[in-house]
Amino acid sequence: MAEGSREGKRVDFVYETHEYELCAGTATHLDGYIERVFGFLGAAPGDFLVPVDVVATVTCGEREDATGCYDPNDERVIVSLAEHFRFRPTAVLRHEVTHAVVHRVWGKSIPFFQEGLAESLSRTEAVNTEWTPEPGPILDMLDKPAEEVDYEAAALFTRYLIDRVGVASFRAIYQGVRDGTRGEIVAQIEAGTGEAFATLEADFLSGAPRCTFAIDLCDSQGAVTVAAGDSWSTEFTASCLAPEFYGSQSSEAMFTATQMRVELQGTGRYRVHLVDDAEFDPSVELTRCGDCEEQFVRRIWDGVELELEAGLYAVEVTVKPFAHHVEFGLEYLGSG
């Protein structure tokens, strides 16, 4: 493990087990993400610092199968670093520190909105081919405990409401439904939006594209600008010891990732270039940032051809074996 990888400006890791260790860039990655969450909520981070207890087995309330949780009473995150391969690297940590930030700024709400807001800011699950979210009815989940909430559905509805009424009005809804019956929760949503809940839910389910905010990925700061008609490529050593990689590793496995952001100034057709010297190829997710009409998330591989419009794209490269060399790029093939 790299020197200083347990320490961050916004996270303070306390180890009860060393079976898994953090990769060198994890704390820095979380620091940046936490500050973007504060910005999204319209608040300054000030001296915010959240303790993170790294344990072998996470026990959250009555749940004994949890991968992590946030304890609002002690204001601590409790997490296991054993990564679940269906999740993106550090996904559980991002989700739980989001709860810590929201609790500091907005306080508590019903589990539906607590989980929905956290998941709307940073998607947890990895994509096998393409992420095609399909909204479902959410009325029956509004008054359920967290373990009975569909996090993705709650995230999609949370973004839908924020896009519709704005962050300030959503905050009033969030804080106004700290508890209560389903009917009282519905009444608070109707008061905050000025519309009947049935109308809102029908519109949410209308078939229009739904998405999340992806603020862990979609940050234009540091993005590489690619001029119209140009290609772009990079290469790096994928290692848990590298400062740009976040995730964790044990003596037997590594599960780490890095991000790159690219601003394409022109629309065109591109061929993906992905070469590595590992036994198992990296998993690469391409996210088109923007509103739900233009956003998409898909897994890409060497040789695939893509029609890409001008705009901001995020590339997340996940590697599971130990250190190896990776080359990645987008070769411009032409327009039309």
Side-chain angles (χ1 to χ4, degrees):
M1 183 184 64
E3 184 69 25
S5 65
R6 300 182 198 175
E7 299 177 1
K9 182 180 179 182
R10 304 297 177 189
V11 285
D12 179 23
F13 290 94
V14 180
Y15 279 76
E16 295 181 14
T17 175
H18 289 275
E19 179 183 3
Y20 287 83
E21 300 283 0
L22 294 168
C23 294
T26 305
T28 300
H29 169 73
L30 291 172
D31 285 347
Y33 171 69
I34 286 170
E35 292 179 359
R36 290 198 292 276
V37 175
F38 271 100
F40 181 90
L41 300 177
D47 61 355
F48 178 84
L49 178 68
V50 59
V52 178
D53 293 340
V54 178
V55 300
T57 303
V58 178
T59 300
C60 299
E62 298 180 357
R63 296 188 63 185
E64 297 183 354
D65 62 342
T67 53
C69 64
Y70 172 67
D71 184 341
N73 297 315
D74 291 337
E75 298 185 331
R76 306 181 73 85
V77 167
I78 305 165
V79 68
S80 166
L81 295 182
E83 300 276 10
H84 292 254
F85 289 159
R86 85 171 201 269
F87 296 159
R88 297 165 56 213
T90 315
V92 173
L93 267 169
R94 280 194 302 269
H95 185 93
E96 302 308 334
V97 299
T98 306
H99 285 313
V101 174
V102 175
H103 182 262
R104 168 69 68 89
V105 179
W106 287 3
K108 295 181 180 180
S109 186
I110 54 174
F112 178 88
F113 280 136
Q114 290 183 159
E115 303 302 340
L117 183 56
E119 189 68 14
S120 77
L121 298 181
S122 175
R123 175 177 46 85
T124 297
E125 297 209 2
V127 171
N128 290 323
T129 53
E130 189 171 5
W131 187 52
T132 53
E134 298 181 2
I138 50 87
L139 175 62
D140 291 346
M141 284 188 281
L142 291 177
D143 58 347
K144 298 297 185 184
E147 56 268 25
E148 296 181 36
V149 171
D150 181 325
Y151 284 17
E152 181 175 279
L156 298 176
F157 188 71
T158 296
R159 168 148 194 181
Y160 168 78
L161 281 185
I162 293 173
D163 285 346
R164 196 172 184 94
V165 302
V167 172
S169 293
F170 176 77
R171 175 177 181 169
I173 296 171
Y174 178 97
Q175 294 177 325
V177 293
R178 288 190 172 95
D179 50 34
T181 65
R182 185 181 303 174
E184 290 170 335
I185 295 169
V186 166
Q188 186 67 39
I189 294 173
E190 291 179 335
T193 60
E195 297 189 59
F197 183 84
T199 301
L200 289 170
E201 188 176 41
D203 186 57
F204 173 64
L205 299 172
S206 66
R210 304 297 173 209
C211 66
T212 59
F213 292 104
I215 68 168
D216 61 313
L217 292 164
C218 292
D219 176 23
S220 60
Q221 184 175 359
V224 175
T225 300
V226 179
D230 282 357
S231 300
W232 166 79
S233 64
T234 187
E235 56 184 288
F236 50 85
T237 298
S239 170
C240 197
L241 300 177
E244 65 270 23
F245 275 80
Y246 50 90
S248 63
Q249 72 175 20
S250 69
S251 60
E252 299 179 350
M254 180 178 77
F255 192 49
T256 185
T258 190
Q259 295 178 6
M260 297 163 283
R261 281 165 284 278
V262 180
E263 182 77 42
L264 297 181
Q265 294 189 325
T267 296
R269 188 166 186 82
Y270 295 82
R271 180 185 294 122
V272 174
H273 174 69
L274 175 63
V275 177
D276 66 277
D277 58 2
E279 181 180 357
F280 301 101
D281 288 336
S283 171
V284 182
E285 289 185 11
L286 178 70
T287 298
R288 167 63 159 99
C289 300
D291 61 29
C292 294
E293 283 71 28
E294 58 190 2
Q295 186 186 127
F296 66 77
V297 184
R298 63 174 295 179
R299 187 170 176 174
I300 56 177
W301 55 89
D302 184 53
V304 69
E305 296 185 5
L306 306 166
E307 292 285 350
L308 301 178
E309 296 183 352
L312 179 65
Y313 292 81
V315 180
E316 184 172 55
V317 181
T318 300
V319 293
K320 298 174 186 177
F322 287 94
H324 58 278
H325 185 77
V326 177
E327 298 177 10
F328 178 82
L330 296 172
E331 178 189 359
Y332 180 72
L333 300 178
S335 59

